[in-house]
Amino acid sequence: MKKLGIFLSIEGIEGVGKTTAVRFIEQYLKQKEIDFILTREPGGTEIAEQIRHILLNPNSEEILATNTELLLMFACRAQHIQQVILPALQEQKWVVCDRYIDASYAYQGGGRNISLAHIKMLDDWIVNELLPDKTILLDAPPEVGLARAKHRGPQDRIEQEAVDFFDRVRRAYLLRAEEDPKRFRVIDATKDLETVQDEIIRVLNE
Ligand code: T5A
């Protein structure tokens, strides 16, 4: 099989600095003249972005059932893998993805308490072992992330959850990182931006 490009995902709870990290990585890869794409989940394609709107819309009068939330996350992912991630990797580009499969284990598994067996079933079916080469987990307590996110304007549907929801999400992320130390690099996101960015460079240089 032809060699694939490098696949990098960035994870963490709300406001820890994922978008800031992705912008930083963008500058770094441009400097190194590396061919890459930036993308995100949920979203990344026209159809997946439409599903994202359903997932994050804070104004819907109907409550989104937790299983629907899980299935829509994977519907987005199926579209995203087929339309964007796989073609870019096959063209040997780097793919830098703001959230991916680990977010489903953390949010729908840890946060919503959906059985990991159900998530794993969808993972096996949809992701089918297309895992990132490296995953940067920006880790900080929810109080830190939520305070940073607050400055950004109105909260989306998931951001409106209580702190203990994000505590569970954070713990689930850390557990994933512990279970797969070869893929994960955990960065202390409470540190100042310069320190976080030095750590990111270290991971990219790997
Ligand atoms: N979701 C997603 C699931 O439930 N399941 C899934 O499977 C998937 C894929 C998506 C939502 O969907 C959920 C998770 C999410 O709830 P999103 O678009 O990824 O949402 O958005 P958020 O996580 O809400 O991302 P945010 O934009 O809120 O946070 P970021 O990107 O982590 O934070 P960022 O970079 O915008 O930074 C926030 C502020 O902090 C500052 C920045 O300048 C900015 O002002 N900052 C720092 N300040 C001090 N020190 C640092 N080290 C800093 N780093 C950043």
Side-chain angles (χ1 to χ4, degrees), residues 153-173:
Q155 293 177 313
D156 66 40
R157 190 182 62 82
I158 296 179
E159 277 169 357
Q160 292 174 351
E161 291 294 335
V163 171
D164 65 328
F165 172 87
F166 295 106
D167 254 329
R168 293 198 299 279
V169 173
R170 182 191 184 199
R171 269 187 272 126
Y173 265 136

Side-chain angles (χ1 to χ4, degrees), residues 10-149:
I10 321 292
E11 299 278 2
I13 59 163
E14 335 294 293
V16 282
K18 294 175 303 300
T19 309
T20 310
V22 167
R23 295 295 157 218
F24 176 72
I25 293 168
E26 178 180 20
Q27 294 311 316
Y28 178 91
L29 294 178
K30 272 186 187 161
Q31 266 176 24
K32 298 272 177 192
E33 296 182 357
I34 289 171
D35 210 0
F36 68 95
I37 61 154
L38 303 179
T39 189
R40 69 170 179 183
E41 286 199 358
T45 81
E46 189 191 332
I47 289 171
E49 290 289 333
Q50 288 176 27
I51 304 173
R52 176 188 173 94
H53 177 73
I54 298 172
L55 279 161
L56 301 185
N57 179 12
N59 303 318
S60 170
E61 285 182 10
E62 184 178 342
I63 291 172
L64 193 70
T66 52
N67 285 338
T68 311
E69 182 179 279
L70 174 70
L71 291 168
L72 287 180
M73 290 294 175
F74 273 92
C76 280
R77 189 160 296 131
Q79 195 67 16
H80 192 209
I81 288 173
Q82 194 188 318
Q83 297 292 317
V84 175
I85 298 179
L86 204 47
L89 291 175
Q90 281 166 343
E91 286 170 23
Q92 296 180 33
K93 290 180 182 162
W94 279 48
V95 172
V96 181
C97 194
D98 190 339
R99 298 189 187 279
Y100 187 60
I101 180 66
D102 301 296
S104 293
Y105 283 96
Y107 281 78
Q108 283 65 53
R112 303 276 189 231
N113 291 314
I114 296 180
S115 115
L116 295 185
H118 285 146
I119 301 175
K120 176 80 168 57
M121 204 164 62
L122 291 166
D123 180 358
D124 289 344
W125 178 25
I126 303 301
V127 173
N128 194 17
E129 298 183 358
L130 186 66
L131 285 176
D133 296 286
K134 285 281 175 283
T135 295
I136 293 176
L137 173 58
L138 295 171
D139 177 57
E143 292 78 4
V144 174
L146 294 175
R148 286 181 191 164

